[in-house]
Structure formats: structure tokens, C-alpha cells
Amino acid sequence: MWYLPMLFWCFVGGWLLEQIQIHDGWKFLFVVLLNLFAFSGLPLQLSGALTFMVYFYGGFLCYKYSDKIKTMVNPRNIAIAWVVFVLCFAILRPLRDCLVVNDSVSTMHRLLLRVANHACQLIYAWAGVMAFYFSAVWFAGKHQLSNFAKSIAACSFGIYLFQQFVLMILYYKTEFPVVVGPYLLPWCGFAVASAASYCLSALLLKTKTGRFLIG
């Protein structure tokens, strides 16, 4: 559950950013720089918060400016977004493997390598995020979501939290891995964990405490 302290600091950081009366573009640039220059070793998952804040705050901005973004969502731009993502991933992902940080180079050289590594990941990650986001917005605008789909969406945070515990019980406390075998284990584990996590989340949301925690 390492990500819970990280998420806590992201929420705190997002709230603090919203208190600053400057253009949101400058705030986003700030969290980009936090990502590029993030370093490990900080306590309480502050290092993770520095890394993931750009995605957390970027998601908030996508929600905040969703009306403007929707005007850009069309099949042509979706296709362009996917092409950009595929090209960025195909070029920058192998490049990251070449940007290996080691102790044989100077401190400045290590810093530049680390920043370049983070920049490559940030570019293709955000290209992928926007390709998926554009596709999801277009799909939601063209199709009426079923009540079941809306129910899954309402339980998504609970599913996110429960699935790790369900998988740990399945893998380490039962004979499930032996019964299904190594080839079917990832798929069966996903199916069982998803269903169990959804049911647990739906039950938890029926309580006042549950709605406060994951609602």
C-alpha cells in the first residue's frame, strides 16, 4: 500500500496549487519540473509524490477544462493522438534503456541522464494518457453507458484498493495458483480479484463510512 501516502501528498499538493493565484499552465509546468528532477530517498513516499504529481494534477486539469477538451475530440484528432503515442513509445522507450545512470560519471552527468530518462518517460506516458483520454471521451459521447458500467465507475477507487489484498490472499493463502496453473493464473487472478473487489466496494459504499472512504 505504498501508494496511499503518495496519494495523500498528491492531494495535499493539488490543494496547495489551487490556492496559488497564477495561471494553471505555470502550475502544470512546475509539476513537470518536479517530475523531471524528482529524486529518491525522501521519507513518507514524498519521492513518489514528486514523480506522480504531474499525472495527478494533469488529471485534475483535464477535468477542470473538460468542456474545452471535448471540443477537440473527434476521430481525426484521436487518430493523431494514437499515432503520436505509438511513435513516442517506439522511439523513447528504447532510448531510456541507453540512459543508464551509474557512479562512474560526474554528478552533473548523472543528473542530466536522470532528467533525460524522466523526460522520455513523461513524454510517451502523457502521449498515451491523452490518446486513451480522447478515445474515452469520444466513446462516452457516442454511447449511453449502462447502469452496470456506471456502478463499476463508482466503485473504481474501492476496486483499486481491494484488489491488492484479494490477490495476496488468492496467491499466498489458497491453492488457487496450483489449481489454475501458471499460464492461466494472471487471467484467472484478474477475473476473480476484479469481481471480488467490485462486490466488496459495492457493499462498502452502502455504509456511511464506506462512502466517506471511497465514495
Side-chain angles (χ1 to χ4, degrees):
M1 302 295 282
W2 64 270
Y3 49 82
L4 291 182
M6 180 271 293
L7 279 175
F8 170 77
W9 291 119
C10 284
F11 274 105
V12 171
W15 180 82
L16 290 174
L17 284 172
E18 282 303 287
Q19 307 310 306
I20 302 173
Q21 300 301 314
I22 60 174
H23 193 276
D24 287 340
W26 291 109
K27 299 177 189 178
F28 186 70
L29 177 61
F30 173 71
V31 294
V32 167
L33 293 176
L34 286 181
N35 176 277
L36 294 180
F37 291 94
F39 54 90
S40 59
L42 294 178
L44 303 176
Q45 288 300 327
L46 282 168
S47 297
L50 294 178
T51 299
F52 291 102
M53 188 64 196
V54 64
Y55 304 104
F56 182 91
Y57 192 66
F60 170 75
L61 293 181
C62 285
Y63 171 77
K64 186 175 181 178
Y65 296 103
S66 59
D67 290 339
K68 292 183 179 180
I69 293 176
K70 287 177 182 178
T71 63
M72 299 185 292
V73 175
N74 55 61
R76 174 178 172 272
N77 287 341
I78 293 173
I80 292 174
W82 278 105
V83 170
V84 170
F85 167 58
V86 171
L87 289 176
C88 288
F89 187 84
I91 296 171
L92 297 178
R93 182 60 186 85
L95 180 59
R96 284 190 67 207
D97 295 333
C98 302
L99 301 171
V100 179
V101 179
N102 56 68
D103 296 331
S104 63
V105 296
S106 66
T107 302
M108 181 58 68
H109 194 179
R110 288 200 301 270
L111 176 62
L112 292 175
L113 284 173
R114 186 175 291 110
V115 170
N117 188 295
H118 289 179
C120 289
Q121 183 181 40
L122 187 63
I123 292 171
Y124 69 69
W126 262 107
V129 166
M130 296 313 297
F132 276 102
Y133 181 62
F134 274 31
S135 301
V137 170
W138 179 83
F139 181 86
K142 295 293 183 179
H143 300 81
Q144 181 67 36
L145 296 180
S146 66
N147 290 331
F148 180 63
K150 294 177 181 178
S151 176
I152 292 177
C155 294
S156 59
F157 187 56
I159 294 171
Y160 177 66
L161 295 178
F162 277 121
Q163 54 86 25
Q164 177 175 337
F165 297 106
V166 175
L167 286 174
M168 288 180 65
I169 293 172
L170 281 177
Y171 283 14
Y172 302 114
K173 303 296 183 180
T174 71
E175 296 298 317
F176 185 77
V178 177
V179 173
V180 302
Y183 297 106
L184 292 177
L185 181 59
W187 305 101
C188 293
F190 167 77
V192 173
S194 298
S197 299
Y198 168 71
C199 292
L200 291 170
S201 300
L203 289 173
L204 188 60
L205 283 174
K206 293 183 180 297
T207 66
K208 184 177 180 179
T209 303
R211 289 191 293 273
F212 173 76
L213 293 174
I214 64 173

Short mmCIF file of all heavy atoms in Angstrom, two decimals, residues 58-118:
data_model
loop_
_atom_site.label_atom_id
_atom_site.label_comp_id
_atom_site.label_asym_id
_atom_site.label_seq_id
_atom_site.Cartn_x
_atom_site.Cartn_y
_atom_site.Cartn_z
N GLY A 58 -2.34 16.88 -13.60
CA GLY A 58 -2.75 16.90 -15.00
C GLY A 58 -4.14 16.34 -15.19
O GLY A 58 -4.95 16.87 -15.98
N GLY A 59 -4.47 15.26 -14.44
CA GLY A 59 -5.82 14.71 -14.49
C GLY A 59 -6.85 15.69 -13.97
O GLY A 59 -7.95 15.82 -14.52
N PHE A 60 -6.48 16.41 -12.91
CA PHE A 60 -7.38 17.43 -12.38
C PHE A 60 -7.65 18.53 -13.41
O PHE A 60 -8.79 18.98 -13.57
CB PHE A 60 -6.78 18.04 -11.11
CG PHE A 60 -7.50 19.26 -10.61
CD1 PHE A 60 -8.73 19.14 -9.98
CD2 PHE A 60 -6.97 20.52 -10.81
CE1 PHE A 60 -9.40 20.28 -9.53
CE2 PHE A 60 -7.63 21.66 -10.36
CZ PHE A 60 -8.85 21.53 -9.72
N LEU A 61 -6.59 18.93 -14.13
CA LEU A 61 -6.77 19.96 -15.15
C LEU A 61 -7.63 19.46 -16.30
O LEU A 61 -8.40 20.22 -16.89
CB LEU A 61 -5.41 20.45 -15.65
CG LEU A 61 -4.55 21.21 -14.65
CD1 LEU A 61 -3.24 21.65 -15.30
CD2 LEU A 61 -5.29 22.43 -14.09
N CYS A 62 -7.48 18.18 -16.66
CA CYS A 62 -8.33 17.62 -17.70
C CYS A 62 -9.79 17.69 -17.29
O CYS A 62 -10.67 17.97 -18.12
CB CYS A 62 -7.93 16.17 -17.98
SG CYS A 62 -6.40 15.99 -18.93
N TYR A 63 -10.06 17.43 -16.03
CA TYR A 63 -11.44 17.55 -15.53
C TYR A 63 -11.88 19.01 -15.51
O TYR A 63 -13.01 19.33 -15.91
CB TYR A 63 -11.53 16.94 -14.13
CG TYR A 63 -12.84 17.19 -13.44
CD1 TYR A 63 -13.97 16.45 -13.77
CD2 TYR A 63 -12.96 18.19 -12.47
CE1 TYR A 63 -15.19 16.68 -13.15
CE2 TYR A 63 -14.17 18.42 -11.84
CZ TYR A 63 -15.29 17.67 -12.18
OH TYR A 63 -16.49 17.91 -11.57
N LYS A 64 -11.01 19.89 -15.05
CA LYS A 64 -11.34 21.31 -14.92
C LYS A 64 -11.65 21.93 -16.27
O LYS A 64 -12.56 22.77 -16.38
CB LYS A 64 -10.19 22.04 -14.25
CG LYS A 64 -10.45 23.51 -13.93
CD LYS A 64 -9.27 24.11 -13.17
CE LYS A 64 -9.52 25.57 -12.80
NZ LYS A 64 -8.38 26.14 -12.02
N TYR A 65 -10.91 21.51 -17.29
CA TYR A 65 -11.10 22.09 -18.62
C TYR A 65 -11.73 21.07 -19.58
O TYR A 65 -11.48 21.12 -20.78
CB TYR A 65 -9.76 22.56 -19.17
CG TYR A 65 -9.14 23.69 -18.36
CD1 TYR A 65 -8.10 23.45 -17.47
CD2 TYR A 65 -9.62 24.99 -18.47
CE1 TYR A 65 -7.54 24.48 -16.71
CE2 TYR A 65 -9.07 26.02 -17.72
CZ TYR A 65 -8.03 25.75 -16.84
OH TYR A 65 -7.50 26.77 -16.10
N SER A 66 -12.54 20.18 -19.04
CA SER A 66 -13.12 19.12 -19.86
C SER A 66 -13.99 19.66 -21.00
O SER A 66 -14.02 19.09 -22.09
CB SER A 66 -13.94 18.17 -18.98
OG SER A 66 -14.98 18.87 -18.31
N ASP A 67 -14.69 20.77 -20.74
CA ASP A 67 -15.54 21.33 -21.80
C ASP A 67 -14.71 21.78 -23.01
O ASP A 67 -15.11 21.59 -24.16
CB ASP A 67 -16.35 22.50 -21.26
CG ASP A 67 -17.42 22.06 -20.27
OD1 ASP A 67 -17.80 20.88 -20.31
OD2 ASP A 67 -17.86 22.89 -19.46
N LYS A 68 -13.57 22.40 -22.75
CA LYS A 68 -12.70 22.83 -23.84
C LYS A 68 -12.07 21.63 -24.54
O LYS A 68 -11.93 21.62 -25.77
CB LYS A 68 -11.60 23.75 -23.30
CG LYS A 68 -12.11 25.10 -22.81
CD LYS A 68 -10.95 25.98 -22.35
CE LYS A 68 -11.45 27.34 -21.89
NZ LYS A 68 -10.34 28.23 -21.43
N ILE A 69 -11.68 20.62 -23.76
CA ILE A 69 -11.05 19.45 -24.34
C ILE A 69 -12.02 18.71 -25.25
O ILE A 69 -11.64 18.21 -26.32
CB ILE A 69 -10.52 18.52 -23.24
CG1 ILE A 69 -9.37 19.21 -22.48
CG2 ILE A 69 -10.03 17.20 -23.82
CD1 ILE A 69 -8.84 18.42 -21.30
N LYS A 70 -13.30 18.65 -24.84
CA LYS A 70 -14.29 17.93 -25.64
C LYS A 70 -14.44 18.52 -27.03
O LYS A 70 -14.77 17.80 -27.98
CB LYS A 70 -15.64 17.94 -24.92
CG LYS A 70 -15.69 17.03 -23.70
CD LYS A 70 -17.03 17.13 -22.99
CE LYS A 70 -17.06 16.27 -21.75
NZ LYS A 70 -18.34 16.39 -21.01
N THR A 71 -14.19 19.81 -27.17
CA THR A 71 -14.30 20.43 -28.49
C THR A 71 -13.19 19.96 -29.44
O THR A 71 -13.31 20.11 -30.66
CB THR A 71 -14.25 21.97 -28.38
OG1 THR A 71 -12.98 22.37 -27.84
CG2 THR A 71 -15.36 22.48 -27.46
N MET A 72 -12.12 19.42 -28.88
CA MET A 72 -11.00 18.93 -29.70
C MET A 72 -11.10 17.44 -30.01
O MET A 72 -10.29 16.91 -30.76
CB MET A 72 -9.67 19.20 -28.99
CG MET A 72 -9.39 20.67 -28.73
SD MET A 72 -7.74 20.93 -28.02
CE MET A 72 -7.95 20.17 -26.41
N VAL A 73 -12.08 16.77 -29.38
CA VAL A 73 -12.19 15.32 -29.54
C VAL A 73 -13.01 14.99 -30.79
O VAL A 73 -14.21 15.28 -30.85
CB VAL A 73 -12.83 14.69 -28.30
CG1 VAL A 73 -13.07 13.20 -28.51
CG2 VAL A 73 -11.95 14.91 -27.07
N ASN A 74 -12.36 14.43 -31.76
CA ASN A 74 -13.00 13.95 -32.99
C ASN A 74 -12.15 12.82 -33.53
O ASN A 74 -11.00 12.63 -33.10
CB ASN A 74 -13.17 15.08 -34.01
CG ASN A 74 -11.86 15.77 -34.33
OD1 ASN A 74 -10.92 15.14 -34.83
ND2 ASN A 74 -11.77 17.07 -34.05
N PRO A 75 -12.68 12.02 -34.45
CA PRO A 75 -11.92 10.86 -34.96
C PRO A 75 -10.54 11.23 -35.50
O PRO A 75 -9.57 10.47 -35.32
CB PRO A 75 -12.83 10.30 -36.05
CG PRO A 75 -14.20 10.68 -35.62
CD PRO A 75 -14.06 12.03 -34.97
N ARG A 76 -10.43 12.38 -36.16
CA ARG A 76 -9.13 12.78 -36.73
C ARG A 76 -8.10 13.01 -35.62
O ARG A 76 -6.98 12.50 -35.70
CB ARG A 76 -9.30 14.05 -37.56
CG ARG A 76 -8.00 14.64 -38.08
CD ARG A 76 -8.27 15.87 -38.94
NE ARG A 76 -7.03 16.55 -39.29
CZ ARG A 76 -6.47 17.50 -38.54
NH1 ARG A 76 -7.05 17.86 -37.38
NH2 ARG A 76 -5.35 18.07 -38.91
N ASN A 77 -8.48 13.76 -34.59
CA ASN A 77 -7.54 14.04 -33.51
C ASN A 77 -7.23 12.80 -32.67
O ASN A 77 -6.13 12.66 -32.14
CB ASN A 77 -8.08 15.16 -32.61
CG ASN A 77 -8.02 16.51 -33.28
OD1 ASN A 77 -7.27 16.71 -34.24
ND2 ASN A 77 -8.79 17.46 -32.79
N ILE A 78 -8.22 11.91 -32.56
CA ILE A 78 -7.97 10.66 -31.86
C ILE A 78 -6.92 9.84 -32.60
O ILE A 78 -5.99 9.28 -32.00
CB ILE A 78 -9.28 9.86 -31.68
CG1 ILE A 78 -10.22 10.59 -30.73
CG2 ILE A 78 -8.98 8.45 -31.17
CD1 ILE A 78 -11.59 9.96 -30.64
N ALA A 79 -7.06 9.75 -33.91
CA ALA A 79 -6.09 9.01 -34.72
C ALA A 79 -4.70 9.64 -34.59
O ALA A 79 -3.70 8.93 -34.45
CB ALA A 79 -6.53 8.97 -36.18
N ILE A 80 -4.63 10.97 -34.64
CA ILE A 80 -3.34 11.65 -34.49
C ILE A 80 -2.74 11.35 -33.12
O ILE A 80 -1.52 11.09 -33.00
CB ILE A 80 -3.52 13.17 -34.69
CG1 ILE A 80 -3.87 13.49 -36.13
CG2 ILE A 80 -2.24 13.91 -34.27
CD1 ILE A 80 -4.21 14.95 -36.38
N ALA A 81 -3.57 11.38 -32.07
CA ALA A 81 -3.08 11.11 -30.72
C ALA A 81 -2.50 9.72 -30.60
O ALA A 81 -1.44 9.52 -29.98
CB ALA A 81 -4.22 11.29 -29.71
N TRP A 82 -3.14 8.73 -31.21
CA TRP A 82 -2.62 7.36 -31.15
C TRP A 82 -1.33 7.21 -31.95
O TRP A 82 -0.40 6.51 -31.53
CB TRP A 82 -3.68 6.38 -31.64
CG TRP A 82 -4.67 6.04 -30.59
CD1 TRP A 82 -5.95 6.48 -30.48
CD2 TRP A 82 -4.44 5.21 -29.45
NE1 TRP A 82 -6.55 5.98 -29.35
CE2 TRP A 82 -5.65 5.19 -28.69
CE3 TRP A 82 -3.36 4.49 -28.99
CZ2 TRP A 82 -5.78 4.47 -27.51
CZ3 TRP A 82 -3.48 3.77 -27.80
CH2 TRP A 82 -4.67 3.76 -27.08
N VAL A 83 -1.26 7.87 -33.10
CA VAL A 83 -0.02 7.81 -33.90
C VAL A 83 1.13 8.45 -33.13
O VAL A 83 2.25 7.91 -33.09
CB VAL A 83 -0.23 8.52 -35.27
CG1 VAL A 83 1.12 8.69 -35.99
CG2 VAL A 83 -1.19 7.72 -36.14
N VAL A 84 0.87 9.59 -32.50
CA VAL A 84 1.90 10.26 -31.71
C VAL A 84 2.36 9.37 -30.56
O VAL A 84 3.56 9.24 -30.30
CB VAL A 84 1.38 11.61 -31.17
CG1 VAL A 84 2.35 12.21 -30.15
CG2 VAL A 84 1.16 12.59 -32.32
N PHE A 85 1.42 8.74 -29.90
CA PHE A 85 1.78 7.85 -28.79
C PHE A 85 2.65 6.69 -29.26
O PHE A 85 3.69 6.38 -28.65
CB PHE A 85 0.52 7.32 -28.12
CG PHE A 85 0.79 6.16 -27.18
CD1 PHE A 85 1.67 6.31 -26.11
CD2 PHE A 85 0.17 4.94 -27.37
CE1 PHE A 85 1.92 5.24 -25.25
CE2 PHE A 85 0.42 3.88 -26.52
CZ PHE A 85 1.30 4.03 -25.46
N VAL A 86 2.23 6.03 -30.33
CA VAL A 86 2.99 4.87 -30.84
C VAL A 86 4.40 5.29 -31.24
O VAL A 86 5.39 4.61 -30.92
CB VAL A 86 2.25 4.22 -32.02
CG1 VAL A 86 3.14 3.17 -32.69
CG2 VAL A 86 0.95 3.59 -31.55
N LEU A 87 4.52 6.42 -31.92
CA LEU A 87 5.84 6.89 -32.34
C LEU A 87 6.70 7.27 -31.13
O LEU A 87 7.90 6.90 -31.08
CB LEU A 87 5.69 8.10 -33.27
CG LEU A 87 5.14 7.82 -34.67
CD1 LEU A 87 4.96 9.13 -35.44
CD2 LEU A 87 6.05 6.88 -35.44
N CYS A 88 6.12 7.99 -30.18
CA CYS A 88 6.87 8.38 -28.98
C CYS A 88 7.33 7.15 -28.21
O CYS A 88 8.49 7.08 -27.76
CB CYS A 88 6.02 9.27 -28.08
SG CYS A 88 5.76 10.94 -28.71
N PHE A 89 6.44 6.18 -28.05
CA PHE A 89 6.80 4.98 -27.30
C PHE A 89 7.88 4.18 -28.03
O PHE A 89 8.84 3.70 -27.41
CB PHE A 89 5.57 4.11 -27.08
CG PHE A 89 5.82 2.94 -26.17
CD1 PHE A 89 5.75 3.10 -24.79
CD2 PHE A 89 6.12 1.68 -26.68
CE1 PHE A 89 5.99 2.04 -23.94
CE2 PHE A 89 6.36 0.61 -25.84
CZ PHE A 89 6.29 0.79 -24.46
N ALA A 90 7.72 4.04 -29.35
CA ALA A 90 8.69 3.25 -30.13
C ALA A 90 10.08 3.87 -30.12
O ALA A 90 11.09 3.16 -30.16
CB ALA A 90 8.19 3.09 -31.56
N ILE A 91 10.15 5.18 -30.05
CA ILE A 91 11.44 5.87 -30.10
C ILE A 91 12.02 6.07 -28.70
O ILE A 91 13.20 5.78 -28.44
CB ILE A 91 11.30 7.23 -30.81
CG1 ILE A 91 10.90 7.03 -32.28
CG2 ILE A 91 12.60 8.02 -30.72
CD1 ILE A 91 10.54 8.32 -32.99
N LEU A 92 11.19 6.55 -27.78
CA LEU A 92 11.70 6.97 -26.48
C LEU A 92 11.86 5.83 -25.48
O LEU A 92 12.73 5.90 -24.61
CB LEU A 92 10.78 8.05 -25.88
CG LEU A 92 10.68 9.34 -26.69
CD1 LEU A 92 9.71 10.30 -26.03
CD2 LEU A 92 12.05 9.99 -26.83
N ARG A 93 11.04 4.78 -25.60
CA ARG A 93 11.19 3.67 -24.65
C ARG A 93 12.54 2.98 -24.80
O ARG A 93 13.24 2.77 -23.78
CB ARG A 93 10.04 2.67 -24.81
CG ARG A 93 10.10 1.50 -23.82
CD ARG A 93 10.02 2.03 -22.41
NE ARG A 93 10.22 1.00 -21.41
CZ ARG A 93 11.40 0.59 -20.96
NH1 ARG A 93 12.51 1.14 -21.42
NH2 ARG A 93 11.50 -0.34 -20.05
N PRO A 94 12.99 2.63 -26.01
CA PRO A 94 14.35 2.06 -26.13
C PRO A 94 15.44 3.06 -25.75
O PRO A 94 16.48 2.67 -25.22
CB PRO A 94 14.43 1.69 -27.63
CG PRO A 94 13.03 1.57 -28.08
CD PRO A 94 12.26 2.58 -27.29
N LEU A 95 15.19 4.35 -26.02
CA LEU A 95 16.18 5.37 -25.67
C LEU A 95 16.42 5.41 -24.17
O LEU A 95 17.55 5.63 -23.72
CB LEU A 95 15.73 6.74 -26.18
CG LEU A 95 16.65 7.93 -25.90
CD1 LEU A 95 18.03 7.70 -26.52
CD2 LEU A 95 16.03 9.21 -26.42
N ARG A 96 15.36 5.18 -23.38
CA ARG A 96 15.52 5.18 -21.93
C ARG A 96 16.52 4.12 -21.47
O ARG A 96 17.24 4.32 -20.49
CB ARG A 96 14.18 4.93 -21.24
CG ARG A 96 13.24 6.11 -21.22
CD ARG A 96 12.07 5.79 -20.30
NE ARG A 96 12.49 5.68 -18.92
CZ ARG A 96 11.86 4.95 -18.01
NH1 ARG A 96 10.80 4.23 -18.35
NH2 ARG A 96 12.29 4.92 -16.77
N ASP A 97 16.54 2.99 -22.16
CA ASP A 97 17.46 1.92 -21.78
C ASP A 97 18.92 2.32 -21.98
O ASP A 97 19.82 1.73 -21.38
CB ASP A 97 17.16 0.65 -22.59
CG ASP A 97 15.79 0.07 -22.26
OD1 ASP A 97 15.32 0.29 -21.12
OD2 ASP A 97 15.19 -0.59 -23.13
N CYS A 98 19.14 3.31 -22.84
CA CYS A 98 20.51 3.78 -23.08
C CYS A 98 20.94 4.83 -22.06
O CYS A 98 22.13 5.12 -21.93
CB CYS A 98 20.63 4.35 -24.49
SG CYS A 98 20.20 3.19 -25.80
N LEU A 99 19.96 5.41 -21.39
CA LEU A 99 20.26 6.48 -20.44
C LEU A 99 20.45 5.90 -19.04
O LEU A 99 19.69 6.15 -18.11
CB LEU A 99 19.13 7.51 -20.44
CG LEU A 99 18.85 8.18 -21.78
CD1 LEU A 99 17.58 9.02 -21.71
CD2 LEU A 99 20.03 9.05 -22.19
N VAL A 100 21.46 5.08 -18.91
CA VAL A 100 21.73 4.38 -17.66
C VAL A 100 22.58 5.27 -16.75
O VAL A 100 23.63 5.77 -17.16
CB VAL A 100 22.45 3.05 -17.91
CG1 VAL A 100 22.75 2.35 -16.58
CG2 VAL A 100 21.62 2.16 -18.81
N VAL A 101 22.09 5.45 -15.53
CA VAL A 101 22.81 6.27 -14.55
C VAL A 101 23.73 5.37 -13.75
O VAL A 101 23.29 4.38 -13.16
CB VAL A 101 21.82 6.99 -13.60
CG1 VAL A 101 22.59 7.82 -12.58
CG2 VAL A 101 20.85 7.84 -14.38
N ASN A 102 25.01 5.67 -13.73
CA ASN A 102 25.96 4.89 -12.93
C ASN A 102 26.92 5.83 -12.21
O ASN A 102 26.97 7.03 -12.49
CB ASN A 102 26.72 3.90 -13.81
CG ASN A 102 27.44 4.58 -14.96
OD1 ASN A 102 28.39 5.33 -14.74
ND2 ASN A 102 26.98 4.34 -16.20
N ASP A 103 27.68 5.26 -11.29
CA ASP A 103 28.55 6.06 -10.43
C ASP A 103 29.88 6.42 -11.09
O ASP A 103 30.70 7.11 -10.47
CB ASP A 103 28.83 5.31 -9.12
CG ASP A 103 27.56 5.11 -8.31
OD1 ASP A 103 26.65 5.96 -8.45
OD2 ASP A 103 27.48 4.11 -7.58
N SER A 104 30.11 5.95 -12.31
CA SER A 104 31.40 6.20 -12.95
C SER A 104 31.47 7.57 -13.62
O SER A 104 32.53 7.96 -14.10
CB SER A 104 31.69 5.11 -13.98
OG SER A 104 30.73 5.14 -15.02
N VAL A 105 30.35 8.29 -13.65
CA VAL A 105 30.33 9.60 -14.31
C VAL A 105 30.18 10.68 -13.24
O VAL A 105 29.91 10.41 -12.07
CB VAL A 105 29.17 9.68 -15.33
CG1 VAL A 105 29.37 8.67 -16.45
CG2 VAL A 105 27.82 9.45 -14.66
N SER A 106 30.35 11.91 -13.66
CA SER A 106 30.29 13.03 -12.73
C SER A 106 28.86 13.25 -12.22
O SER A 106 27.89 12.75 -12.80
CB SER A 106 30.78 14.31 -13.40
OG SER A 106 29.91 14.68 -14.45
N THR A 107 28.74 14.02 -11.15
CA THR A 107 27.43 14.30 -10.57
C THR A 107 26.52 15.01 -11.56
O THR A 107 25.33 14.68 -11.69
CB THR A 107 27.59 15.17 -9.31
OG1 THR A 107 28.43 14.49 -8.37
CG2 THR A 107 26.24 15.46 -8.68
N MET A 108 27.06 15.98 -12.28
CA MET A 108 26.26 16.70 -13.27
C MET A 108 25.81 15.78 -14.38
O MET A 108 24.66 15.86 -14.85
CB MET A 108 27.07 17.87 -13.84
CG MET A 108 26.31 18.70 -14.88
SD MET A 108 24.76 19.40 -14.22
CE MET A 108 25.44 20.58 -13.03
N HIS A 109 26.70 14.88 -14.80
CA HIS A 109 26.36 13.92 -15.85
C HIS A 109 25.24 13.00 -15.39
O HIS A 109 24.30 12.71 -16.14
CB HIS A 109 27.59 13.11 -16.24
CG HIS A 109 27.43 12.36 -17.52
ND1 HIS A 109 28.42 11.59 -18.08
CD2 HIS A 109 26.37 12.25 -18.38
CE1 HIS A 109 27.99 11.04 -19.20
NE2 HIS A 109 26.76 11.44 -19.41
N ARG A 110 25.31 12.54 -14.14
CA ARG A 110 24.26 11.68 -13.60
C ARG A 110 22.93 12.42 -13.54
O ARG A 110 21.87 11.86 -13.85
CB ARG A 110 24.65 11.19 -12.20
CG ARG A 110 25.76 10.16 -12.19
CD ARG A 110 25.76 9.37 -10.88
NE ARG A 110 25.94 10.24 -9.72
CZ ARG A 110 27.12 10.56 -9.21
NH1 ARG A 110 28.24 10.12 -9.78
NH2 ARG A 110 27.20 11.34 -8.15
N LEU A 111 22.97 13.70 -13.15
CA LEU A 111 21.76 14.50 -13.08
C LEU A 111 21.13 14.65 -14.46
O LEU A 111 19.91 14.48 -14.63
CB LEU A 111 22.06 15.87 -12.50
CG LEU A 111 20.88 16.86 -12.45
CD1 LEU A 111 19.77 16.32 -11.56
CD2 LEU A 111 21.35 18.23 -11.95
N LEU A 112 21.95 14.94 -15.47
CA LEU A 112 21.43 15.10 -16.83
C LEU A 112 20.84 13.79 -17.36
O LEU A 112 19.80 13.80 -18.03
CB LEU A 112 22.55 15.59 -17.75
CG LEU A 112 23.05 17.02 -17.51
CD1 LEU A 112 24.24 17.33 -18.41
CD2 LEU A 112 21.93 18.03 -17.72
N LEU A 113 21.50 12.67 -17.07
CA LEU A 113 20.99 11.38 -17.51
C LEU A 113 19.64 11.08 -16.84
O LEU A 113 18.72 10.59 -17.49
CB LEU A 113 21.99 10.27 -17.17
CG LEU A 113 23.23 10.16 -18.06
CD1 LEU A 113 24.20 9.14 -17.48
CD2 LEU A 113 22.83 9.76 -19.49
N ARG A 114 19.54 11.38 -15.56
CA ARG A 114 18.30 11.11 -14.83
C ARG A 114 17.17 11.99 -15.37
O ARG A 114 16.04 11.52 -15.56
CB ARG A 114 18.51 11.35 -13.34
CG ARG A 114 17.31 10.96 -12.48
CD ARG A 114 17.62 11.11 -11.00
NE ARG A 114 18.59 10.14 -10.54
CZ ARG A 114 19.84 10.43 -10.18
NH1 ARG A 114 20.25 11.68 -10.22
NH2 ARG A 114 20.65 9.50 -9.76
N VAL A 115 17.46 13.27 -15.63
CA VAL A 115 16.44 14.17 -16.17
C VAL A 115 16.00 13.72 -17.55
O VAL A 115 14.80 13.72 -17.87
CB VAL A 115 16.96 15.62 -16.20
CG1 VAL A 115 16.01 16.52 -16.98
CG2 VAL A 115 17.16 16.16 -14.79
N ALA A 116 16.96 13.32 -18.39
CA ALA A 116 16.63 12.85 -19.73
C ALA A 116 15.79 11.58 -19.67
O ALA A 116 14.84 11.41 -20.45
CB ALA A 116 17.91 12.60 -20.53
N ASN A 117 16.12 10.69 -18.74
CA ASN A 117 15.35 9.47 -18.56
C ASN A 117 13.91 9.78 -18.17
O ASN A 117 12.95 9.24 -18.74
CB ASN A 117 16.02 8.60 -17.49
CG ASN A 117 15.41 7.22 -17.38
OD1 ASN A 117 14.26 7.08 -17.02
ND2 ASN A 117 16.20 6.21 -17.69
N HIS A 118 13.76 10.68 -17.20
CA HIS A 118 12.42 11.07 -16.76
C HIS A 118 11.65 11.76 -17.88
O HIS A 118 10.44 11.57 -18.02
CB HIS A 118 12.52 12.00 -15.55
CG HIS A 118 12.97 11.31 -14.30
ND1 HIS A 118 13.15 11.97 -13.10
CD2 HIS A 118 13.29 10.02 -14.06
CE1 HIS A 118 13.55 11.12 -12.20
NE2 HIS A 118 13.65 9.93 -12.75
#
